[in-house]
Amino acid sequence: MKKPIIGITFREAFCDDRAIYKINKSIINKVLENGGIPILIFNYDEILINTCNGFIIPGGNTWNKLDEKIILYALKCNKPLLGICAGMQALGNIMYFGSEKSDRTIKVNSISNFNHNILDDCYVHKIRINDGILLDIIGKKEIEVNSRHNDTVINNNTFKIEAISDDNIIEAISLNPLVIGVQWHPEDLQDENSNKLFKYLIEKSK
């Protein structure tokens, strides 16, 4: 069986006053380790997009219009997609895509009892996993995760809440069994729980 092609979108940054595109190398490594072929998507080219068997929308300060187009494509074509951090927040704001203000996230510190923005890759807090696709994937009702985000989604009834933190921050959502978002960064955790997310994405992309 051919290895599935996983399309990954990018984030913009500046280096020596020059604009660059960047992607976390650990995401690339996770795709490779689990039997996928990663390719970077820089624009919405239909031939390229149709070649992809699954997608990853990575973390960052926010998402962009390309991310929104990829999400809508994955839903329309029933292809697997994993949203990470800002990628999950994009999934949670799908009802606002195309509007003047598509980002309706709120600041975590307005509703949280502890700091969710710890920049290193250590375990920061536990999450409680609800009955659903994430529980089917990981097989545990409670796990520890890292945490480096300032914003969170609010429940607008367009997604299923798959997991929450002890202070009731939404930590994982799904739009269907193939389109899943997590607020933490599983690419930077070397544990079985996080790796299962990539295994699931690759397996469903075959």
Side-chain angles (χ1 to χ4, degrees):
M1 181 179 294
K2 292 197 305 181
K3 292 184 176 181
I5 296 173
I6 306 299
I8 307 169
T9 57
F10 64 93
R11 294 291 168 252
E12 294 185 39
F14 287 89
C15 180
D16 297 327
D17 295 325
R18 293 178 297 170
I20 62 171
Y21 292 153
K22 68 173 187 176
I23 183 67
N24 192 335
K25 184 179 178 181
S26 58
I27 293 179
I28 303 293
N29 291 340
K30 287 291 186 182
V31 172
L32 292 169
E33 289 167 8
N34 286 284
I37 299 174
I39 63 170
L40 300 185
I41 302 173
F42 297 106
N43 58 67
Y44 195 82
D45 180 278
E46 288 193 7
I47 296 176
L48 175 63
I49 302 301
N50 290 334
T51 301
C52 296
N53 306 110
F55 301 95
I56 294 175
I57 308 296
N61 292 329
T62 187
W63 64 93
N64 55 45
K65 296 297 182 184
L66 175 61
D67 297 322
E68 294 182 0
K69 290 179 179 180
I70 297 297
I71 290 168
L72 294 175
Y73 172 86
L75 290 170
K76 177 183 176 182
C77 297
N78 201 36
K79 290 191 176 183
L81 182 145
L82 175 62
I84 297 173
C85 198
M88 187 202 87
Q89 293 168 15
L91 295 177
N93 282 272
I94 189 172
M95 67 184 296
Y96 305 117
F97 284 2
S99 65
E100 185 175 337
K101 187 178 185 301
S102 63
D103 184 352
R104 308 295 176 98
T105 54
I106 61 174
K107 293 298 178 184
V108 172
N109 58 15
S110 65
I111 58 176
S112 176
N113 295 321
F114 56 84
N115 185 8
H116 278 262
N117 190 13
I118 307 297
L119 294 181
D120 59 29
D121 298 327
C122 67
Y123 295 106
V124 173
H125 61 77
K126 294 179 181 179
I127 62 169
R128 302 191 304 273
I129 300 177
N130 301 323
D131 290 340
I133 188 61
L134 185 62
L135 181 60
D136 292 341
I137 294 170
I138 294 181
K140 298 177 183 177
K141 294 285 287 185
E142 186 177 271
I143 63 172
E144 288 188 288
V145 299
N146 55 13
S147 189
R148 50 179 193 260
H149 60 101
N150 293 308
D151 303 293
T152 185
V153 296
I154 55 176
N155 189 4
N156 55 34
N157 298 315
T158 61
F159 54 79
K160 180 182 184 301
I161 299 175
E162 297 285 344
I164 60 173
S165 62
D166 286 341
D167 55 343
N168 294 315
I169 300 299
I170 296 175
E171 289 283 338
I173 66 175
S174 64
L175 300 184
N176 63 43
L178 294 177
V179 178
I180 304 165
V182 297
Q183 188 60 71
W184 70 96
H185 286 264
E187 73 275 20
D188 291 326
L189 290 175
Q190 303 304 315
D191 61 28
E192 181 185 14
N193 299 323
S194 293
N195 201 51
K196 283 179 178 178
L197 288 165
F198 293 94
K199 285 183 178 179
Y200 180 82
L201 175 71
I202 302 301
E203 185 62 33
K204 292 299 180 181
S205 298
K206 290 181 179 178

